[in-house]
Amino acid sequence: MTGTHREGLPDWAREASFGVFIHWGAYSVPAWAEPIGALGTIPDEQWFAHNPYAEWYANTIRIEGSPAARHHAEVYGSAPYEDFLDRWQAESYDPAEWARLFRRLGADYVVPVTKHHDGVTLWDAPGSEGFNSVDRGPKRDLIGPLAAAVRAEGMRFGVYYSGGLDWSVADHPPIEIVDHLRTHRPVDAEYAAAATAHVRDLIDRYEPSVLWNDIDWPDAGKADGSLAELMAQYRGVVPDGIVNDRWGADVWDYRTSEYSAGSNHETGTGWENNRGLGFSFGYNRIEDQSLTLSPRGLAQHYADVVARGGRFLLNVGPDSSGRIPDVQLRTLEGVAAWMAEVKPHTTDRRFPGDDEVAVSADADNWCRTWASGGRLVVVADRPEAVRVTAPGYEIVHVALPE
């Protein structure tokens, strides 16, 4: 299909450097995955049977002999995954509290999952009767109140939708190898129509500034022109909205990477890297402090992404009640003041070498830097030891948090 993306990102997206991703769903009830490591560091042939993504629980427990399958049998017996939808109560969900936290972090935009690969929608999506958070489990729309709270705090609101996978509508075997992402997914016209109706409803109800699809889009929807029509609707409703690159079609505005996977997309400016605080996006009760980014680690990751021209989309994984776990809060609260000090707030972010700017540091002194407006920010282990030549800039030296 022909491309439908704009030339260049809108001002708000060029200014933005930090977003919050939220993975929360029925998978937050078992909240279990084997924390083997980060995407991009584990061989493909090991990944799916030992998947560290707790939001993939419905797939991983179907892989014979997997640790998740053994865990599920020991704890839940033969209970089907669907039971977790009814066990999910979201009794402590406070979207205003979430939004205040994300604002303190300096988030520019917030992107919650509205439907993950398990097929459960977090609003009463058209055609989702009996398999959404309004009819079962929490018994309410979880997206609308969050959209209002996020916007009340001055941030942009986006939506994630899994168009490529939906384990509730197709009787495929479990995904066990990378090639199965292509062969074990719904691609037919019926599913394309259902997914299109969902995303049309998200656009009309919530007018999201970010349209974040995952894995791919059903082939029938690419072939019959309905994806192009969907994009045209989105551009009409949200003229300054942006679209990510996981549609399997040339409709995107920016490229994405995930942990270290897709690093070839991290070129130029305006790309987006996403990762969890641990190895999972959905809450994994196994991930303790030793498996969670420290405030220092989070600050380093953010500074590295920003210094190379990207945006950082950091995932938060609430527990099934809607609380953000203490191990995650420790890191988020620990980095908030630091983020407020370093974040760029202009559309003209620049990097050493672009102007008459020169920055050098010893090999054992981790250092990243960028300029925005009249400020040159130098983030380092020992910022006072970094040598800077920057005529006309206010030089801001910032140490990494502990």
Side-chain angles (χ1 to χ4, degrees):
M1 62 181 295
T2 58
T4 61
H5 55 84
R6 66 168 55 79
E7 292 298 324
L9 293 173
D11 284 352
W12 79 264
R14 290 193 294 120
E15 180 177 323
S17 63
F18 184 50
V20 173
F21 223 177
I22 306 170
H23 280 62
W24 188 40
Y27 45 80
S28 305
V29 176
W32 196 95
E34 185 183 3
I36 57 170
L39 181 69
T41 66
I42 306 300
D44 289 345
E45 62 271 17
Q46 296 179 24
W47 178 262
F48 291 99
H50 301 272
N51 200 326
Y53 286 1
E55 67 276 14
W56 275 69
Y57 190 81
N59 184 78
T60 315
I61 61 175
R62 297 174 62 211
I63 299 176
E64 186 175 355
S66 72
R70 292 196 298 270
H71 167 82
H72 187 79
E74 291 168 3
V75 177
Y76 303 105
S78 59
Y81 176 81
E82 189 173 337
D83 280 7
F84 296 123
L85 175 53
D86 297 312
R87 299 189 192 195
W88 178 29
Q89 298 300 301
E91 65 273 16
S92 299
Y93 178 40
D94 186 342
E97 182 179 18
W98 286 10
R100 287 191 294 268
L101 170 64
F102 303 155
R103 179 70 277 171
R104 291 198 302 276
L105 283 169
D108 302 295
Y109 59 108
V110 176
V111 182
V113 167
T114 65
K115 186 201 81 164
H116 207 264
H117 311 329
D118 60 2
V120 177
T121 65
L122 276 65
W123 86 108
D124 53 337
S128 69
E129 292 78 8
F131 209 63
N132 62 55
S133 67
V134 177
D135 291 345
R136 295 170 64 178
K139 296 290 183 67
R140 59 194 187 276
D141 172 10
L142 301 173
I143 302 302
L146 182 59
V150 164
R151 286 169 170 145
E153 293 293 332
M155 296 172 286
R156 293 270 177 162
F157 181 76
V159 295
Y160 165 110
Y161 183 86
S162 174
L165 292 178
D166 190 321
W167 299 320
S168 72
V169 303
D171 190 22
H172 291 301
I175 295 169
E176 299 188 59
I177 58 175
V178 171
D179 282 352
H180 289 168
L181 291 171
R182 177 176 53 84
T183 60
H184 293 17
R185 65 182 186 89
V187 298
D188 58 280
E190 183 178 1
Y191 175 61
T196 299
H198 285 183
V199 177
R200 283 189 181 279
D201 195 51
L202 287 170
I203 293 167
D204 288 338
R205 286 201 200 197
Y206 308 120
E207 300 183 4
S209 291
V210 183
L211 198 55
W212 215 105
N213 185 62
D214 206 5
I215 304 293
D216 207 317
W217 191 253
D219 295 353
K222 289 182 280 189
D224 66 11
S226 59
L227 177 56
E229 293 171 359
L230 180 65
M231 289 296 117
Q233 176 194 355
Y234 180 58
R235 303 299 187 193
V237 173
V238 191
D240 66 348
I242 59 175
V243 178
N244 78 328
D245 62 344
R246 301 190 182 187
W247 302 79
D250 185 23
V251 299
W252 53 271
D253 296 315
Y254 66 93
R255 288 296 197 184
T256 62
S257 59
E258 189 167 321
Y259 289 88
S260 62
S263 58
N264 57 306
H265 291 164
E266 297 176 353
T267 61
T269 59
W271 50 271
E272 178 188 78
N273 173 259
N274 68 85
R275 63 156 294 161
L277 280 159
F279 299 136
S280 178
F281 287 86
Y283 172 52
N284 182 0
R285 63 182 75 251
I286 295 176
E287 289 187 341
D288 58 14
Q289 186 172 319
S290 70
L291 296 172
T292 302
L293 280 175
S294 65
R296 180 186 181 86
L298 174 53
Q300 276 191 307
H301 192 89
Y302 170 80
D304 179 62
V305 169
V306 172
R308 292 186 292 115
R311 298 190 310 276
F312 178 30
L313 184 60
L314 171 69
N315 183 76
V316 171
D319 68 17
S320 63
S321 77
R323 290 185 61 258
I324 297 174
D326 290 343
V327 69
Q328 297 179 34
L329 276 176
R330 170 187 169 273
T331 295
L332 299 175
E333 297 284 14
V335 83
W338 183 91
M339 290 288 289
E341 184 177 4
V342 304
K343 272 193 80 228
H345 292 287
T346 67
T347 60
D348 64 339
R349 221 185 316 162
R350 300 180 303 285
F351 311 97
D354 291 354
D355 305 302
E356 298 176 0
V357 174
V359 179
S360 61
D362 296 336
D364 64 346
N365 186 9
W366 189 94
C367 177
R368 296 292 186 273
T369 187
W370 60 86
S372 67
R375 301 169 77 228
L376 180 76
V377 177
V378 178
V379 177
D381 283 323
R382 302 188 309 282
E384 71 284 350
V386 178
R387 297 170 291 281
V388 181
T389 301
Y393 284 102
E394 174 196 1
I395 302 172
V396 181
H397 292 90
V398 183
L400 290 162
E402 295 300 322

